[in-house]
Amino acid sequence: MKKLRILGLSLALMAGLQTVGWAQETKTESEVEQDLKRLREWVRLQSDKVATTTRAEWPSVKSDFARHADKIESGFQQLSENSKREYLELKAKFQELESKPFYDEIPLQAEEVRLREKELLGSFSNIQSIKPAQMREAYITFMQNVRAKRQSWIPRDWDYAEYILQNLAKRKEAVEANLTTLDEIKIRTLIGEFHTLRSGQEFKEKQKAKSKG
């Protein structure tokens, strides 16, 4: 009778250990599937951002991908067959993103510059014809339009705006001898505002990217 009791306890203990092992295996599989889900969302985010990713930013992006990939590969065998295929597809998609040119290596387009000049400068879009007496008003018009449009801008929009601002600066330099002190002060204030707005937008974008990463 005692032997039967011991045998029963042994069988119960073995069953319990099997249950724990099964639970641990299920947990491991669930964790790897969660890692795959996070990688899926991360790759989607990078696909959305690729048009604005610079060469300087890419090493950090690659490091993030490696961190996600290492977690999955350590438990790769726990993934379902469908999940294994999805992981390999996500790796291939990332490699495709990596092969695309970085946005800061793509030159601004001349036709787009002309369109942006009309959009931001209005009647002052022919920068080379701006007279000294019109210089201050040209900067005011530029900044009024920047303020009105900036909320929907991506970094490329800011690049075009800054290029136009640089062209305005060249014209200003050419007529500077005929500008009043008040004109100079106003123009410097507007240029400072532009760079402050751009820096603020870049900071918000970086914070948003961190929160999603």
Side-chain angles (χ1 to χ4, degrees):
M1 190 75 176
K2 194 171 183 179
K3 288 183 179 179
L4 287 174
R5 190 177 302 154
I6 292 171
L7 179 61
L9 289 171
S10 298
L11 290 171
L13 180 60
M14 288 175 65
L17 289 172
Q18 287 176 340
T19 301
V20 171
W22 178 82
Q24 288 176 337
E25 183 178 344
T26 303
K27 181 182 178 184
T28 302
E29 183 174 343
S30 175
E31 286 173 352
V32 178
E33 293 287 352
Q34 287 298 314
D35 289 334
L36 179 64
K37 181 179 179 181
R38 283 188 282 270
L39 177 63
R40 183 190 309 132
E41 178 61 22
W42 184 88
V43 170
R44 184 198 65 76
L45 178 63
Q46 298 309 315
S47 298
D48 292 342
K49 289 170 54 183
V50 70
T52 61
T53 301
T54 66
R55 176 172 288 279
E57 293 170 328
W58 195 252
S60 175
V61 174
K62 285 186 71 174
S63 176
D64 283 348
F65 175 79
R67 178 171 53 81
H68 284 289
D70 286 347
K71 288 181 181 179
I72 295 171
E73 291 185 4
S74 65
F76 185 74
Q77 295 307 319
Q78 276 75 50
L79 291 171
S80 67
E81 290 304 313
N82 285 340
S83 293
K84 287 177 181 177
R85 281 195 295 272
E86 182 184 4
Y87 171 63
L88 295 175
E89 288 169 1
L90 289 171
K91 282 185 72 174
K93 187 169 185 178
F94 180 76
Q95 289 168 353
E96 182 183 335
L97 294 178
E98 190 172 12
S99 68
K100 293 184 177 181
F102 300 106
Y103 113 89
D104 56 341
E105 296 178 344
I106 302 173
L108 302 181
Q109 303 299 307
E111 182 58 33
E112 185 66 21
V113 169
R114 285 190 287 272
L115 290 173
R116 300 299 181 107
E117 284 173 341
K118 291 177 182 177
E119 186 179 89
L120 296 176
L121 290 171
S123 60
F124 303 109
S125 60
N126 186 354
I127 293 176
Q128 295 308 311
S129 69
I130 298 176
K131 298 174 182 177
Q134 300 172 319
M135 203 74 238
R136 174 175 172 170
E137 191 60 35
Y139 273 93
I140 290 172
T141 300
F142 173 81
M143 278 310 303
Q144 284 174 340
N145 286 311
V146 168
R147 293 186 204 109
K149 300 175 186 299
R150 68 185 177 88
Q151 294 295 346
S152 61
W153 278 2
I154 62 173
R156 198 60 167 173
D157 296 307
W158 285 100
D159 289 343
Y160 277 104
E162 185 154 355
Y163 180 77
I164 292 168
L165 188 63
Q166 289 169 357
N167 286 340
L168 271 177
K170 291 175 185 176
R171 181 58 184 166
K172 171 183 167 293
E173 187 177 344
V175 301
E176 203 158 22
N178 297 311
L179 297 178
T180 68
T181 301
L182 289 178
D183 288 340
E184 290 275 14
I185 293 172
K186 180 64 175 178
I187 289 169
R188 279 200 298 271
T189 300
L190 293 169
I191 292 171
E193 181 186 355
F194 174 86
H195 291 297
T196 298
L197 291 177
R198 179 165 196 179
S199 296
Q201 190 70 21
E202 288 173 346
F203 177 77
K204 287 180 183 177
E205 291 297 328
K206 286 178 181 177
Q207 294 299 108
K208 191 186 298 183
K210 282 183 181 178
S211 66
K212 289 183 179 180

